[in-house]
Each structure stands twice: as C-alpha cells, then as structure tokens.
Amino acid sequence: MKTDELRNKFLDFFASKGHKVVESDSLVPAKDPSVLFTSAGMNQFKEQFMGNITDFRRAASSQKCLRTADLINVGKSPSHHTFFEMLGNFSFGDYFKQDAISWAWEFVTEVLKLPEEKLWVSVHQEDQEAYKIWLEKIKIQEERIVKLGDKDNFWPANAPKDGPNGPCGPCSEIFYDWTGKCCEKADCNPSCNCGRFTEIWNLVFTQYDRQSDGSLLALPSKNIDTGMGLERIASVMQNVRENYQTDLFVPILNDLKEHLERSQITPEKTWFGSSAKTIADHIRAAVFSIADGVMPSNEARGYVIRKLIRRSIMNMKQAGVKEPFCYRLVYVIAKTMEKPYPYLLKRHETIAGIIKKEEEMFWSILKERSPLAEEKFTFYEKLPFASATFHGTALDTVPVFVRIAKEAFTLYDTYGVPLEISKEIINKLGIKIPVEDFEEEFEKEMEMQRNRSRNASQISSEIFSRSTAHLFKGLTTEFTGYDSLESDAKVMLIIEAKVPVDAAQSRQEVEIVLDKTPFYAESGGQVADTGKFFNSSGFEAQVTDVLKTDKVVIHKVKITNGRVQKGMQVNAKVCEEKRIATARNHTATHLLQYALRKVLGESVEQAGSYVSWEKLRFDFPHLSALKKETIENVEAIVNQCIMENMPVETMIMDIAQAKKTGALAFFGEKYESYVRVLAISDKSKELCAGTHVKQTGQIGLFKITAENSVAQGIRRIEAVTGAEAFSLFKDQEKLLNSLCTVLNAERERLIEAAQKSIDHSKNLEKELRKYKLGSLERQAGEIAAKAVRIEGINVIIEKFDDCDADSLRKISDCLRSKLDPVICVLMAQGNAKPIIIVSISKSLADKGFDAVKIIKELTALAGGGGGGKKELAQAGAKDIESLNILQKNSKDIIRKFITG
C-alpha cells in the first residue's frame, strides 16, 4: 500500500467515526512557546486538551513533526527520523479507552488487514481497564498482552515519579511482530530491543493531573491522544524492515545515487548504509522546515536546521563531494510529497536556493577555518593518553572530553568554526572521545551562551501551561468591528492578576470580556485596536491591548475614572484615527503582495507580516536583494491600484471553496471551516480576517521605506501609506531644500553642485595622502637609525601615539626597503583599539622566520589576537597599558626567535 493511500485511509476511517479531519499544523507552533518545533500530533490541540472546547470534540490529523533528540541514531536505526508524520486521533472529553482501543484494532485488522497473529499489545502494569478491554472485548490472546511500567507505558515517561506536573496517563501500544520467533531470550516480547517488534501505534489515556507532591488526581474530563508514525506503518504495509526502503525514501536515495554517478563520485558501499540515509532524512526535514518559514541561522529553530544541513554536508564530504550538493535533492523530495503537500513543489526552487547558499557558506568555512581548529586540537593529540578513551580521565580534575568540548565551543563562538569541523579534525588526529557526551557538553556551553545573551523568561516545563482559559468557559464575544467602531456592550467578566473579580475601580489595570465588541484583537499580523470604555455613570477606561482566545475577546484596560462591575452596560469605542490608518496599511499589504507576484513571479508568498497604524511590513521568500528599479516598479503598481480606486470586498466562504477560487492563505495562520475572503477587484484574493478600507483610493499614497534581508532567503519590505507617506515626502522636500542651501544651488543643478563638491574633496584627500606619505618616509628614515642589531639582524621596536593600521603598514614597508635583514615590531593606539604589526624581510622569511609565530608570542603578553602571512602579521591588543608591557618585552622575545 502506497503511503499516500495509507494516510488517506486513516483520515477517512476516523472521519467515518465522527472525527473532524484537521489539517496539519505548521512545524512552527503558532501558540505554543514551550516547544521549538511541533513534535507531536497533540501540539495543535493543547487548548482543547485544557478544556477549551471548540466546535468539535473529536479530531484526526496527519501532523508534520520534527524531533532532534535521537540525531545519533538517524540513518543507523531502521525507524529513527528528524522529520516524520504522525497519524493521530483525539478525543477531548468525549470517548475514552473502549472506543479508542476498539477503533484502533478495527483499523489495523479490517482496514489495513494486518494478520491478528502478527499483532501484540502492551498496557501499563496498573491499567486493569485497558487490559480487560484487550482481553475480553477485543479477545486478543493473553500471551500477546504485555504489562510494562512507567518508563514504557506512561505518558510522559516516568511522569508519576519524575513529572512534569499536569495532565498525564497510562498508554497502550500496538506492535507488529516481524518474525513470530523469539530471539535468544526465552521471554522475548515487545519490550525486547532485538528488532523482532516494531511499535506502530501508541494510545495515550490522559486521565490524571499530576500534582507538585507527585500525587495523581483524576481529571474531570478524560482525553484520548494517539499517535501512529506514518513512516513506520508504511514499512509494515510495504513489507520492508526499514523506513528508508519505503516509497517515502527510495526515490530520494535513488536520486542521490544518480547525482553522484553523474558527478563521477563513487563512495564506498558502506556509505550508502547510513550516511546516505542520514542525508535523505536531514534534507527532507530542512525542506519542510524552510517551507514553514524556518531559515538556517545561529538562533533557536534556525540553528537546528543549520545543524541538519551541515551534518548532511559532512556526510557528503565523506563520499568525496567537495562542493554544494544537497540542494539537488529538494526537487525529488518535493515531488515525492506532492500529493499531501503541493506547496513544496511550488516553492522548491526557492528552498533549493536557500539550502545551496547555506552549503556555499559552510564549504567556505570548511576551507578557511579547518587549519585553525587543527592547530588548537593538536595539543590534545600530543598528550600521553591521546589515543585512549577520555571518558572519566582527569586533566586538572576535569574530564578531557569536557576540555575538548569547551575548546570546540570557543572555536565556534570566537572564530565561527562549526562543531562539525571540530569533530572531523578530532577524528582525523586520532583523538578518541565519547561522541554523545562530547556533543552534550558542547550543547551545555551553547545553552549557557544563549542564557547570557537573552533576557527572555524561561519556558515552563509544564506539559500544559496553566492559564486563565478555564475562566472563559461558556463565554462568547460577538465582533462588531467590521461595520462599526462603537458598540453598547455588557461586561461579562473582569480579571485581575488571573483571578476573576466582581468589580474594579480607578487606577486599576484589569482584563475585561464583553458580550460584543468593535475592538479588533491582535492576529494575522495586524495589531490590536486601542480606544476606550465609558458609560453615563462616570466610568472611563483606556483600552491598551486586545487579545483573543478561541471565541472570547479580552480587553486589557486601565481604569481612569469611576468603577466597573460585572453585568454593567458600557460603551466600547475604537480610536477611529488609528483604525483607519491600520486599515490603509493592511489593504496596502495585500496590494504589495499582488505587485511582488506580478514583478517577481508567483513564488512570492507571504512569510510574515506586521500591520499597525504607523507602518506595514511584509516578508517574502527571495534569494537576492531587490534592485532599485524593481522596487520602483512594485511601488508604481501599488500606487496605480490606489489611483484606480478599486472596490475592496469581503465574503464568507467554506475554506475548501475559498482555496479552489485561488485565495491565498497567510503564513502561520490557523483557519476555521468557514473563512473571510478579501478581494481587491481582480488583482488580489486572500483569506483575511483583518480590517480594511472599502475602496483602494482611501489608502491615498504608498511609499516603500526599506528593503532588506531578515533571514537567509527571506526579504522584508517596509512601507507607509496615507498621512505617514505624505509626511515622509514633506521631510524629503525639507531635506532637499536644506541641501540646496548648503550647496548654494538650485534644485535643477543640485546633482552637478554635489558632484563638484565631492570631486573637490577627493582632490584634497589625494594631496593629503601625498603629504602623509612623504612624512611617513621621513619618519621611517629616523626610525631606521634606531635599529638594534641582534646576530646580524636589524630589530626595530617602535610605539606611536596616534597612527592607524594602514600607516603602520606603510612605515613597515619603508623600513623593509631600507634595511635588510630586518624584523619590525610597530604598535599604536589606533582609531578604535591598540594595533600591533610585525613584519620581516623576505630574506628572513626564506630562512624560516615567520611573522605570524612572532606576533602570536607577542599577543600572549598583550591579551589580543590576530594573524597574517609569513612576512607581515597584524593583531589587536587589550588596551594601551598592554602596549607599554609589550614595548618593554619585545626585544627579548625577538632575541629568542633569532637565537633559537
């Protein structure tokens, strides 16, 4: 059975059981800061699991997931992956164990038609309810039901003892028995790691709430959370023992082999055993992540993707590849996943370009930084225990692998040497280290660095964060802001410090929920409205922010006068000026996307946006900076649409119908079954719940203020409209008038006058350089007279009070032309920091003298660092005092190099 068919059968089966089929969430969880990536099917349903019931209580999905905890096993084991799909069915306080188990069995035996005798199950050792269902209802043979403990059959693993606090429960797993025969162990069962069994489905029964004291309280509303790895069940259905032998990976591995053959590269056969599989897995993960907006970088999610790409490059390097190569796999990955994820094929060129740029950068680093890393790690090679396994060996009471990990991190943090290069060199030098412990120590250093550089609060370790969600049960806020900026409303709830209160008064800051509101809550990149609440009894409050959770709108307010209480009638009024300005910018954002797609092609899709009353911001995938002419063209198209005063219309449509009409979706947004579609004449059609103008002419004017890169492969345009755009033009006019005054020229001759001024300045600089050069030559003659001879070699050590690096180099050149052989050590405060330059005659370099070695010895005293070539090296120093120390000791250091 093909994987695409398998995925569809699962979703169709649970749809027939009353489940809502929910589209896969992004790999970047929009509303869950507790995880970097979506790592399980349940992530997008956290609100429902917390009791915030929406319009469905049963759901099924095939969720894109990414995990990196078992990187060391990827490619080596038959079923470990970074990116994978998780098939799952969920119940939020609806059905429980009986139905979950019965339907799971029905699906695997009747739909997939797996032989019952090939299936085993496990249950938690204390879950008698699940055990009886399997034994008495399903009637599976008792010897094929295995009872396991908290580590294997509880979610989260070991939660009763180790936590975290929050919802948890026992689980039951279904296993496929490949051989039907015991291994060497007589009691071989699914807990055995001999490879006989593959876990295909995990049914989690969320029935407890773990407390801080470790006790498990029964949840009032019990939930079901199941997960079946698509890749694993595909291997079972296609009768192959490895996921890499399924139709998900075979096309990728075949394509990789063909590319290598065309490049006349022939790796060893063993390379295809694990390295090729690792590459297929990692690049697949990178493709999906980039498509979901994660760009390779050194921070958070981006660092994970960069790491996966670099691991792939290092594996390609082992095959003999010496240039960017992994990007060539993007097309076959997109083609293989075309049916469930058609957007990959649409964006594959952009994604390939991003990966290729990342590869080019890393290959450049490999060539430039490897010698530096090799020099650092050679120290450990020379130790007497260099060939031994270092785990537990002490050097200054610290295990050596820890010291090496710290060295690797310093190389990464200071010089940009990636971990992959360090590992390769350590291996090349024959230094044996426990790889997992080494990488863990490196990650510790990385995490400490992140903690030092960020002030953001730490993410909670709770599985479900505690929130005020339970306070909003049964509440709904009607949004009236599309048609009116003012509304009479009833106060339904007042919250102070996450606690409901009956009333609040002047100077208090609280959150208020109304039965209806004209205030737009922040979403879809558009900022929240501001405004005020008031009534005839003297109550007044400023609305500073507006948020939304499901169907409830929460207003953050500061009470400026009077008192408010639950049940009171108030008038809610949005700030009209800000709302209209925001609407201008939001509609202009849609026109901007239309213009970019017209100029750059349909590969342009929104990758993020920000819309406020002051400005708009639009992010989109593109590999290079936009030319000035392109920006002007885009700007002209938008302004033409504004001048034509096109109608801006909205309609409510079924989401499937909306997508069929060609409506574009916003990046990272979750949509309901029915959506609001915004159409601007025949130019633009997008799914959008934001606020907009009625006619494009109301925007007035559109002006791009900036275009730059925000991440690899992602460009950002910033712009203003209306009054802000007009103000910008007025400011530019003032600047133009000021330039006319300064240059004493009319506008028509301003460029000519500016050019004359620039030419005059350049001539003056040229004359000044001539004067300085003559001065330096005279100065060099005076310094040459101070030379000290050591073993027949002239030695010059001179400190200058005020001199830049370029001047020091010129003085050095003059001295080398006047004296031969000569060693010069020149130092100065410089413009920003102390500078040291060491230069030697070519004749000395030919005899083995090296300016780089000399300067490294000197900077050990000066507290700096640098490098260069054999005849000329440059470094920085810590401060001016370090130069004074250096001036006193340089002669002895030079003498040591001369006399050996």
Side-chain angles (χ1 to χ4, degrees), residues 20-270:
K20 178 178 180 178
V21 175
V22 180
E23 191 175 338
S24 173
D25 197 8
S26 167
L27 281 172
V28 181
K31 297 180 180 178
D32 185 2
S34 67
V35 289
L36 281 180
F37 291 97
T38 299
S39 58
M42 54 76 63
N43 282 137
Q44 69 168 314
F45 300 116
K46 278 195 174 183
E47 284 294 314
Q48 286 88 344
F49 278 123
M50 290 170 65
N52 191 9
I53 302 302
T54 53
D55 59 344
F56 58 91
R57 300 186 69 152
R58 299 179 179 186
S61 67
S62 179
Q63 175 61 52
K64 298 177 293 183
C65 299
L66 197 146
R67 298 178 189 172
T68 56
D70 292 323
L71 271 185
I72 197 75
N73 292 318
V74 172
K76 297 176 181 177
S77 88
S79 57
H80 277 89
H81 299 291
T82 50
F83 172 84
F84 58 95
E85 286 181 81
M86 185 65 79
L87 302 173
N89 59 290
F90 310 91
S91 167
F92 316 115
D94 187 17
Y95 63 86
F96 201 46
K97 294 181 186 179
Q98 173 70 57
D99 288 330
I101 291 172
S102 297
W103 289 337
W105 190 252
E106 181 183 347
F107 181 73
V108 295
T109 59
E110 295 182 25
V111 178
L112 299 186
K113 300 189 183 306
L114 292 177
E116 291 186 19
E117 65 274 13
K118 287 276 192 180
L119 301 174
W120 289 55
V121 298
S122 68
V123 296
H124 188 265
Q125 59 195 11
E126 296 178 9
D127 191 355
Q128 283 300 115
E129 182 184 0
Y131 182 81
K132 284 184 179 180
I133 294 170
W134 283 114
L135 184 65
E136 298 172 7
K137 302 288 185 182
I138 305 301
K139 299 190 182 304
I140 191 170
Q141 293 176 355
E142 188 173 6
E143 58 267 26
R144 287 191 283 116
I145 306 175
V146 182
K147 292 183 178 182
L148 300 174
D150 292 344
K151 180 183 177 183
D152 297 302
N153 273 73
F154 205 93
W155 181 87
N158 285 323
K161 179 184 176 183
D162 302 330
N165 298 329
C168 59
C171 56
S172 179
E173 297 173 306
I174 302 176
F175 295 84
Y176 183 76
D177 183 354
W178 286 99
T179 65
K181 297 178 182 178
C182 291
C183 62
E184 295 177 357
K185 297 179 183 177
D187 60 345
C188 180
N189 64 43
S191 65
C192 183
N193 60 4
C194 64
R196 171 184 169 186
F197 298 95
T198 291
E199 176 213 325
I200 59 174
W201 206 339
N202 187 13
L203 317 177
V204 179
F205 312 126
T206 313
Q207 63 189 82
Y208 299 120
D209 186 2
R210 187 186 191 277
Q211 305 299 297
S212 298
D213 62 2
S215 61
L216 301 178
L217 301 183
L219 284 170
S221 179
K222 295 176 174 59
N223 304 315
I224 291 293
D225 165 19
T226 86
M228 177 160 60
L230 179 63
E231 290 77 7
R232 289 193 183 192
I233 190 63
S235 73
V236 171
M237 296 305 297
Q238 294 172 26
N239 197 32
V240 290
R241 293 295 292 269
E242 288 193 9
N243 296 355
Y244 294 99
Q245 294 173 327
T246 67
D247 60 340
L248 291 170
F249 285 95
V250 167
I252 304 170
L253 292 168
N254 286 343
D255 194 64
L256 172 58
K257 190 174 182 180
E258 288 171 11
H259 279 303
L260 289 170
E261 288 173 352
R262 281 197 291 271
S263 300
Q264 297 183 331
I265 296 171
T266 309
E268 295 180 6
K269 287 184 179 180
T270 54

Side-chain angles (χ1 to χ4, degrees), residues 803-806 808-809 826-837 874-877 883 886:
C803 197
D804 59 24
D806 188 51
L808 284 182
R809 283 191 291 270
L826 308 179
M827 59 197 90
Q829 174 56 39
N831 295 329
K833 63 178 182 179
I835 307 163
I836 307 162
I837 282 183
Q874 180 178 326
L883 290 187
L886 195 61

Side-chain angles (χ1 to χ4, degrees), residues 816-868:
R816 283 189 292 172
S817 67
K818 291 177 181 291
L819 300 171
D820 187 17
V822 66
I823 297 176
C824 302
V825 179
L826 308 179
M827 59 197 90
Q829 174 56 39
N831 295 329
K833 63 178 182 179
I835 307 163
I836 307 162
I837 282 183
V838 173
S839 64
I840 63 175
S841 304
K842 185 178 183 303
S843 59
L844 291 178
D846 291 340
K847 291 178 181 178
F849 285 83
D850 191 333
V852 174
K853 290 181 179 178
I854 295 172
I855 208 164
K856 283 192 176 181
E857 189 86 18
L858 294 172
T859 52
L861 281 176

Side-chain angles (χ1 to χ4, degrees), residues 441-633:
E441 198 62 38
F442 182 89
E443 288 298 329
K444 283 181 186 176
E445 293 290 326
M446 180 73 77
E447 187 58 32
M448 284 192 286
Q449 175 71 318
R450 292 191 191 109
N451 289 337
R452 286 192 291 268
S453 63
R454 71 184 174 209
N455 295 318
S457 60
Q458 296 299 300
I459 292 169
S460 169
S461 63
E462 302 290 313
I463 292 297
F464 296 107
S465 58
R466 304 298 185 186
S467 73
T468 55
H470 64 285
L471 300 177
F472 308 127
K473 281 186 180 179
L475 296 180
T476 300
T477 306
E478 178 191 351
F479 179 62
T480 62
Y482 290 132
D483 304 312
S484 173
L485 298 183
E486 192 169 352
S487 177
D488 288 324
K490 182 180 179 180
V491 176
M492 305 297 291
L493 179 66
I494 305 171
I495 301 171
E496 183 180 20
K498 297 187 178 181
V499 176
V501 295
D502 292 328
Q505 55 192 5
S506 183
R507 297 185 182 179
Q508 281 186 274
E509 294 186 16
V510 296
E511 296 170 347
I512 293 178
V513 175
L514 305 177
D515 64 339
K516 55 185 174 180
T517 182
F519 282 83
Y520 182 85
E522 178 183 356
S523 66
Q526 179 177 327
V527 299
D529 284 329
T530 60
K532 61 182 180 178
F533 291 166
F534 60 95
N535 65 13
S536 58
S537 65
F539 163 68
E540 289 185 12
Q542 293 297 317
V543 179
T544 58
D545 199 4
V546 189
L547 305 172
K548 187 177 181 182
T549 174
D550 194 29
K551 296 177 181 178
V552 178
V553 176
I554 306 158
H555 308 79
K556 292 189 175 185
V557 307
K558 183 175 183 179
I559 302 172
T560 55
N561 192 57
R563 184 173 183 272
V564 64
Q565 62 186 41
K566 189 175 176 181
M568 178 184 281
Q569 289 292 129
V570 298
N571 184 283
K573 187 175 183 179
V574 172
C575 175
E576 184 176 4
E577 182 183 353
K578 288 183 177 179
R579 164 65 83 84
I580 293 172
T582 303
R584 290 191 187 104
N585 285 335
H586 203 156
T587 305
T589 304
H590 287 228
L591 290 175
L592 174 58
Q593 177 157 244
Y594 158 71
L596 286 167
R597 288 168 70 86
K598 187 173 182 180
V599 174
L600 301 177
E602 292 192 358
S603 62
V604 171
E605 287 187 342
Q606 180 175 306
S609 71
Y610 172 80
V611 177
S612 72
W613 52 85
E614 297 171 307
K615 65 179 182 179
L616 66 92
R617 193 171 69 208
F618 184 84
D619 299 342
F620 59 99
H622 196 65
L623 295 175
S624 58
L626 301 190
K627 295 178 180 178
K628 184 181 176 183
E629 297 78 9
T630 303
I631 294 173
E632 289 174 352
N633 193 8

Side-chain angles (χ1 to χ4, degrees), residues 12 57 192-193 270 337 367 420 431 541 550 583 669 707 748 779 853 856:
D12 290 345
R57 300 186 69 152
C192 183
N193 60 4
T270 54
M337 306 301 290
K367 292 170 185 174
E420 293 79 8
I431 303 171
D550 194 29
E669 280 295 296
E707 189 278 334
E748 294 76 12
Q779 202 171 1
K853 290 181 179 178
K856 283 192 176 181

Side-chain angles (χ1 to χ4, degrees), residues 289-471:
S289 300
I290 292 168
D292 277 0
V294 183
M295 298 298 128
S297 70
N298 283 335
E299 295 296 326
R301 296 182 181 96
Y303 174 69
V304 173
I305 303 311
R306 171 164 285 172
K307 184 176 181 179
L308 294 179
I309 294 172
R310 288 182 171 183
R311 281 173 62 89
S312 301
I313 296 169
M314 296 305 289
N315 277 286
M316 293 301 313
K317 190 169 181 284
Q318 289 174 12
V321 172
K322 298 178 181 179
E323 61 183 8
F325 202 99
C326 298
Y327 74 94
R328 301 178 187 181
L329 300 177
V330 174
Y331 176 77
V332 70
I333 291 170
K335 191 67 179 172
T336 302
M337 306 301 290
E338 181 182 11
K339 285 186 179 179
Y341 306 106
Y343 62 86
L344 290 179
L345 201 58
K346 192 175 179 182
R347 304 176 194 170
H348 82 273
E349 289 183 354
T350 300
I351 296 170
I354 291 167
I355 292 177
K356 186 179 182 183
K357 275 197 169 185
E358 183 68 16
E359 289 190 88
E360 288 170 345
M361 181 175 70
F362 189 59
W363 277 107
S364 175
I365 292 171
L366 277 171
K367 292 170 185 174
E368 293 174 7
R369 309 287 168 83
S370 291
L372 172 64
E374 189 161 343
E375 180 183 332
K376 292 286 184 183
F377 289 119
T378 300
F379 165 78
Y380 296 95
E381 180 193 29
K382 292 175 181 176
L383 293 178
F385 43 77
S387 61
T389 299
F390 286 176
H391 197 297
T393 306
L395 180 68
D396 297 337
T397 73
V398 178
V400 176
F401 79 86
V402 173
R403 298 253 320 209
I404 296 177
K406 290 180 183 291
E407 187 81 74
F409 178 75
T410 301
L411 284 166
Y412 167 80
D413 194 45
T414 307
Y415 302 104
V417 178
L419 175 63
E420 293 79 8
I421 294 178
S422 292
K423 283 169 60 181
E424 183 186 44
I425 291 168
I426 290 167
N427 186 55
K428 175 184 170 184
L429 294 173
I431 303 171
K432 306 288 186 183
I433 57 171
V435 177
E436 288 186 51
D437 292 343
F438 167 76
E439 289 186 354
E440 184 180 337
E441 198 62 38
F442 182 89
E443 288 298 329
K444 283 181 186 176
E445 293 290 326
M446 180 73 77
E447 187 58 32
M448 284 192 286
Q449 175 71 318
R450 292 191 191 109
N451 289 337
R452 286 192 291 268
S453 63
R454 71 184 174 209
N455 295 318
S457 60
Q458 296 299 300
I459 292 169
S460 169
S461 63
E462 302 290 313
I463 292 297
F464 296 107
S465 58
R466 304 298 185 186
S467 73
T468 55
H470 64 285
L471 300 177

